[in-house]
Amino acid sequence: MTQGVGDLDLSVGYALKQAAVALRTAMDAGLRPLGLSVSQYSCLELLGQRPGLSAAELARGTFVTRQSMHAVLLGLEERGLLERAAAAPQGRALPTQLTQAGREILAQASGIVAAVEGRMTAALSAAEKRRLLADLAGCVAALSGDREE
Amino acid sequence: MTQGVGDLDLSVGYALKQAAVALRTAMDAGLRPLGLSVSQYSCLELLGQRPGLSAAELARGTFVTRQSMHAVLLGLEERGLLERAAAAPQGRALPTQLTQAGREILAQASGIVAAVEGRMTAALSAAEKRRLLADLAGCVAALSGDREE
DNA sequence: TGCGTCATGTCAGCATCCTGACATAGTGTG
DNA sequence: CACACTATGTCAGGATGCTGACATGACGCA
């Protein structure tokens, strides 16, 4: 046993990586006119949907480390797209909110990204989309949670 | 119009990114004992299945740029895991091949990665796996090929 | 033959993201 | 109260990947 990976064309992992790269590339190209990176957009989008999140919460929501999110936040704050509380109202977490400029650029970016995602899933019916979502969620759960058995 | 992305939990792109990150993290953890990064493993795996590929072909096969692959090849060559032809037998492409040491470490790495992928897709039947593969391939095709009609 | 185009290898610079580490604030436990 | 533990923000260093650029070799076309 201890068989290898086998034909790459039959590997879910290979296809997953390919799809993720294709999506990231398409988003990057679409967002470039706005001067936003995918990471910056992800941060804005999450913050737009859930105002007041802290840096650590934003990091978990965008699947990066606190340190990476910290750098992203510094850039966005310098551009005036978001504001961070100067002092922590509780604990050490500093709540973050979009500024008016941030909301405006997010609206544009969100439309662009929605178009990209729409193009990506155009060939899928609503039911197929839900199925794909469920499959991906299952893969995530299988990888992150259970450690042996 | 120009609606935004909407609820992230219903976004295929969000789930795709999450799954890709989870897979990469799991592979990274599994390969760390061997001293291999995911990029290095990807290169070795592709080279093992298709010996003699050039750097540019390896780059396309692992979804990175030629420049990134160049750096990966330098590291693997220095470790004695692969050999590159000194001169180009045709054109400028330098064919690359695994050394014996490369084949040995690839065998171990491939087993580890296969186990990770197996864990990821354990909940899926063979038919569901094919369906997921087809869906992902469809997403890639929809994003990469057609530029407006 | 000469020229334009393309693919490849390579160098330089920049952005992103990671691990490791440290200080601080809250919480639980003896 | 003292101590351990966790969560958060932040700094430092290194690894990785990208864009831009340049030179070289192969090919097609006039």
Side-chain angles (χ1 to χ4, degrees):
Chain A
M1 298 313 138
T2 65
Q3 277 286 0
V5 165
D7 189 343
L8 288 181
D9 292 333
L10 299 179
S11 160
V12 173
Y14 191 73
L16 195 55
K17 178 173 179 178
Q18 184 175 12
V21 168
L23 174 61
R24 187 184 181 87
T25 301
M27 285 176 64
D28 211 65
L31 291 173
R32 183 153 316 155
L34 294 182
L36 284 179
S37 70
V38 174
S39 308
Q40 291 174 321
Y41 158 73
S42 301
C43 178
L44 292 179
E45 179 70 49
L46 188 55
L47 205 45
Q49 297 199 15
R50 304 174 67 177
L53 287 186
S54 70
E57 291 167 322
L58 286 169
R60 282 192 293 269
T62 56
F63 318 115
V64 298
T65 60
R66 281 173 298 152
Q67 294 87 327
S68 300
M69 180 53 63
H70 181 64
V72 171
L73 287 177
L74 288 182
L76 292 175
E77 188 175 19
E78 189 182 11
R79 273 179 67 178
L81 301 182
L82 55 80
E83 290 174 330
R84 311 176 64 190
Q90 185 161 349
R92 297 204 66 201
L94 301 173
T96 309
Q97 286 194 337
L98 295 182
T99 62
Q100 183 58 31
R103 278 187 291 271
E104 287 170 6
I105 202 170
L106 170 58
Q108 299 177 55
S110 198
I112 292 171
V113 171
V116 170
E117 177 154 341
R119 189 153 53 97
M120 176 174 76
T121 60
L124 299 176
S125 71
E128 289 171 331
K129 218 178 297 185
R130 280 194 300 273
R131 193 189 61 190
L132 176 55
L133 272 174
D135 284 348
L136 290 174
C139 290
V140 171
L143 281 178
S144 44
D146 19 314
R147 210 61 188 152
E148 20 250 86
E149 135 232 45
Chain B
M1 302 310 134
T2 65
Q3 277 286 0
V5 165
D7 190 344
L8 288 181
D9 291 334
L10 299 179
S11 161
V12 172
Y14 192 72
L16 195 54
K17 177 173 179 178
Q18 184 175 14
V21 168
L23 174 61
R24 186 183 183 89
T25 301
M27 285 177 63
D28 210 66
L31 291 173
R32 185 156 314 156
L34 294 182
L36 284 180
S37 69
V38 175
S39 307
Q40 291 175 321
Y41 158 74
S42 300
C43 178
L44 292 179
E45 180 71 49
L46 188 56
L47 205 46
Q49 296 199 18
R50 305 174 66 177
L53 287 187
S54 70
E57 291 167 323
L58 286 168
R60 282 191 293 270
T62 56
F63 318 115
V64 298
T65 60
R66 283 173 297 154
Q67 295 88 327
S68 300
M69 180 52 64
H70 181 64
V72 171
L73 288 178
L74 289 182
L76 292 174
E77 188 174 21
E78 189 182 13
R79 274 178 67 178
L81 302 182
L82 55 80
E83 291 173 331
R84 311 175 65 190
Q90 185 161 350
R92 297 204 66 202
L94 301 173
T96 311
Q97 286 195 338
L98 294 181
T99 62
Q100 183 59 32
R103 278 186 291 273
E104 287 169 5
I105 201 170
L106 170 59
Q108 299 177 55
S110 198
I112 292 171
V113 171
V116 170
E117 176 153 342
R119 189 153 52 95
M120 177 173 75
T121 60
L124 299 175
S125 70
E128 289 171 331
K129 218 178 299 185
R130 281 193 301 273
R131 193 189 62 189
L132 177 55
L133 272 174
D135 284 348
L136 290 174
C139 289
V140 171
L143 281 179
S144 43
D146 20 311
R147 210 57 186 153
E148 22 245 87
E149 130 227 48

